[in-house]
Coordinates of all heavy atoms in Angstrom, one line a residue:
N318 N -9.7 -1.6 -26.2 CA -9.5 -1.5 -24.8 C -8.7 -2.7 -24.3 O -8.5 -3.7 -25.1 CB -10.8 -1.4 -24.0 CG -11.5 -0.1 -24.2 OD1 -10.9 0.9 -24.1 ND2 -12.8 -0.1 -24.5
L319 N -8.3 -2.7 -23.1 CA -7.5 -3.7 -22.5 C -8.3 -4.3 -21.3 O -9.0 -3.6 -20.6 CB -6.1 -3.2 -22.0 CG -5.1 -2.9 -23.1 CD1 -3.9 -2.3 -22.4 CD2 -4.7 -4.1 -23.9
I320 N -8.0 -5.6 -21.0 CA -8.5 -6.3 -19.9 C -7.5 -7.2 -19.3 O -6.6 -7.6 -20.0 CB -9.8 -7.1 -20.2 CG1 -10.6 -7.4 -18.9 CG2 -9.5 -8.3 -21.0 CD1 -12.0 -7.8 -19.2
V321 N -7.5 -7.4 -18.0 CA -6.4 -8.2 -17.4 C -7.0 -9.4 -16.7 O -7.2 -9.4 -15.5 CB -5.7 -7.3 -16.4 CG1 -4.4 -8.0 -15.8 CG2 -5.3 -6.0 -17.0
P322 N -7.2 -10.5 -17.4 CA -7.5 -11.8 -16.7 C -6.3 -12.3 -15.9 O -5.2 -11.9 -16.2 CB -7.8 -12.7 -17.9 CG -7.1 -12.2 -19.0 CD -7.1 -10.7 -18.9
V323 N -6.7 -13.1 -14.9 CA -5.6 -13.5 -13.9 C -5.4 -15.0 -14.0 O -6.3 -15.8 -13.9 CB -6.1 -13.1 -12.5 CG1 -5.1 -13.6 -11.4 CG2 -6.3 -11.6 -12.4
I324 N -4.1 -15.4 -14.0 CA -3.7 -16.8 -13.9 C -3.5 -17.1 -12.4 O -2.5 -16.6 -11.8 CB -2.3 -17.0 -14.7 CG1 -2.5 -16.5 -16.1 CG2 -1.9 -18.4 -14.6 CD1 -1.1 -16.5 -16.9
K325 N -4.4 -17.8 -11.8 CA -4.4 -18.1 -10.4 C -3.3 -19.2 -10.1 O -3.2 -20.1 -10.8 CB -5.8 -18.6 -10.0 CG -6.9 -17.6 -10.3 CD -6.8 -16.4 -9.5 CE -7.9 -15.4 -9.9 NZ -9.3 -15.8 -9.6
N326 N -2.6 -18.9 -9.0 CA -1.6 -19.9 -8.5 C -0.6 -20.3 -9.7 O -0.4 -21.5 -9.9 CB -2.2 -21.1 -7.9 CG -3.1 -20.8 -6.7 OD1 -2.6 -20.1 -5.8 ND2 -4.3 -21.2 -6.7
A327 N -0.1 -19.3 -10.3 CA 0.7 -19.5 -11.5 C 2.0 -20.3 -11.2 O 2.5 -21.1 -12.1 CB 1.2 -18.1 -12.1
D328 N 2.5 -20.2 -10.0 CA 3.7 -21.0 -9.6 C 3.5 -22.5 -9.5 O 4.4 -23.2 -9.5 CB 4.3 -20.4 -8.3 CG 3.3 -20.5 -7.2 OD1 2.1 -20.1 -7.4 OD2 3.6 -21.0 -6.1
Q329 N 2.2 -22.9 -9.5 CA 1.9 -24.3 -9.3 C 1.6 -25.0 -10.6 O 1.3 -26.2 -10.7 CB 0.7 -24.5 -8.4 CG 0.9 -23.9 -7.0 CD -0.4 -24.0 -6.1 OE1 -1.3 -24.8 -6.4 NE2 -0.4 -23.3 -5.1
L330 N 1.7 -24.2 -11.7 CA 1.5 -24.8 -13.1 C 2.7 -25.2 -13.8 O 3.7 -24.5 -13.7 CB 0.7 -23.8 -13.9 CG -0.7 -23.3 -13.4 CD1 -1.2 -22.2 -14.3 CD2 -1.7 -24.5 -13.5
N331 N 2.7 -26.4 -14.4 CA 3.9 -26.7 -15.3 C 3.6 -25.9 -16.7 O 2.6 -25.3 -16.8 CB 4.0 -28.2 -15.5 CG 2.8 -28.8 -16.1 OD1 2.0 -28.2 -16.8 ND2 2.7 -30.1 -16.0
L332 N 4.5 -26.1 -17.6 CA 4.4 -25.3 -18.8 C 3.2 -25.7 -19.7 O 2.6 -24.8 -20.3 CB 5.7 -25.4 -19.6 CG 5.9 -24.4 -20.8 CD1 5.8 -23.0 -20.3 CD2 7.3 -24.6 -21.4
V333 N 2.9 -27.0 -19.7 CA 1.7 -27.4 -20.4 C 0.4 -26.8 -19.8 O -0.4 -26.2 -20.5 CB 1.6 -28.9 -20.4 CG1 0.3 -29.4 -21.0 CG2 2.7 -29.6 -21.1
G334 N 0.3 -26.8 -18.5 CA -0.8 -26.2 -17.8 C -0.9 -24.7 -18.0 O -2.0 -24.1 -18.2
M335 N 0.3 -24.1 -17.9 CA 0.3 -22.6 -18.1 C -0.1 -22.3 -19.5 O -0.9 -21.3 -19.7 CB 1.8 -22.1 -17.9 CG 1.9 -20.6 -17.9 SD 1.3 -19.8 -16.4 CE 2.7 -20.2 -15.3
A336 N 0.3 -23.0 -20.5 CA -0.1 -22.7 -21.9 C -1.6 -22.9 -22.1 O -2.2 -22.0 -22.8 CB 0.6 -23.7 -22.9
K337 N -2.2 -23.9 -21.5 CA -3.6 -24.1 -21.6 C -4.4 -22.9 -20.9 O -5.4 -22.4 -21.5 CB -4.0 -25.4 -21.0 CG -3.6 -26.6 -21.8 CD -4.0 -27.9 -21.1 CE -3.5 -29.1 -21.9 NZ -4.1 -29.3 -23.2
V338 N -4.0 -22.5 -19.8 CA -4.6 -21.4 -19.1 C -4.5 -20.1 -19.8 O -5.5 -19.3 -20.0 CB -4.1 -21.3 -17.6 CG1 -4.6 -20.0 -17.0 CG2 -4.4 -22.5 -16.8
V339 N -3.3 -19.8 -20.3 CA -3.1 -18.6 -21.1 C -3.9 -18.5 -22.3 O -4.6 -17.5 -22.6 CB -1.6 -18.5 -21.4 CG1 -1.4 -17.4 -22.5 CG2 -0.7 -18.1 -20.2
N340 N -4.0 -19.6 -23.1 CA -4.8 -19.7 -24.3 C -6.3 -19.5 -24.0 O -7.0 -18.8 -24.7 CB -4.5 -21.0 -25.1 CG -3.2 -21.0 -25.7 OD1 -2.5 -20.0 -25.8 ND2 -2.7 -22.2 -26.0
D341 N -6.7 -20.2 -22.9 CA -8.2 -20.1 -22.5 C -8.5 -18.7 -22.2 O -9.6 -18.1 -22.6 CB -8.4 -21.0 -21.4 CG -9.8 -20.9 -20.8 OD1 -10.8 -21.1 -21.6 OD2 -10.0 -20.5 -19.6
L342 N -7.7 -18.0 -21.3 CA -8.0 -16.6 -20.9 C -8.0 -15.7 -22.1 O -8.8 -14.8 -22.2 CB -7.1 -16.2 -19.8 CG -7.3 -16.9 -18.5 CD1 -6.1 -16.5 -17.5 CD2 -8.6 -16.6 -17.9
A343 N -7.0 -15.9 -23.0 CA -6.9 -15.0 -24.1 C -8.1 -15.1 -25.1 O -8.6 -14.1 -25.6 CB -5.6 -15.3 -24.9
N344 N -8.5 -16.4 -25.3 CA -9.7 -16.6 -26.2 C -10.9 -16.0 -25.6 O -11.7 -15.4 -26.3 CB -9.8 -18.1 -26.5 CG -8.7 -18.7 -27.3 OD1 -8.2 -18.0 -28.1 ND2 -8.5 -20.0 -27.2
R345 N -11.2 -16.2 -24.3 CA -12.4 -15.7 -23.7 C -12.3 -14.2 -23.6 O -13.4 -13.6 -23.6 CB -12.6 -16.4 -22.3 CG -13.0 -17.9 -22.5 CD -13.6 -18.4 -21.2 NE -12.6 -18.7 -20.2 CZ -12.6 -18.2 -19.0 NH1 -13.6 -17.5 -18.6 NH2 -11.7 -18.5 -18.1
S346 N -11.2 -13.6 -23.5 CA -11.1 -12.2 -23.5 C -11.5 -11.6 -24.8 O -12.3 -10.6 -24.9 CB -9.6 -11.7 -23.2 OG -9.2 -12.1 -21.9
R347 N -11.0 -12.2 -25.9 CA -11.4 -11.7 -27.2 C -12.9 -11.9 -27.5 O -13.5 -11.1 -28.2 CB -10.6 -12.4 -28.3 CG -9.1 -12.0 -28.3 CD -8.4 -12.5 -29.5 NE -8.2 -14.0 -29.4 CZ -7.1 -14.5 -28.9 NH1 -6.1 -13.7 -28.5 NH2 -6.9 -15.8 -28.8

Side-chain angles (χ1 to χ4, degrees):
N318 288 314
L319 288 174
I320 198 165
V321 187
V323 177
I324 304 169
K325 305 291 177 63
N326 298 310
D328 58 314
Q329 299 178 19
L330 297 172
N331 61 20
L332 192 54
V333 174
M335 186 76 79
K337 290 180 181 293
V338 172
V339 165
N340 291 342
D341 173 62
L342 291 175
N344 290 334
R345 289 197 285 127
S346 296
R347 287 190 288 267

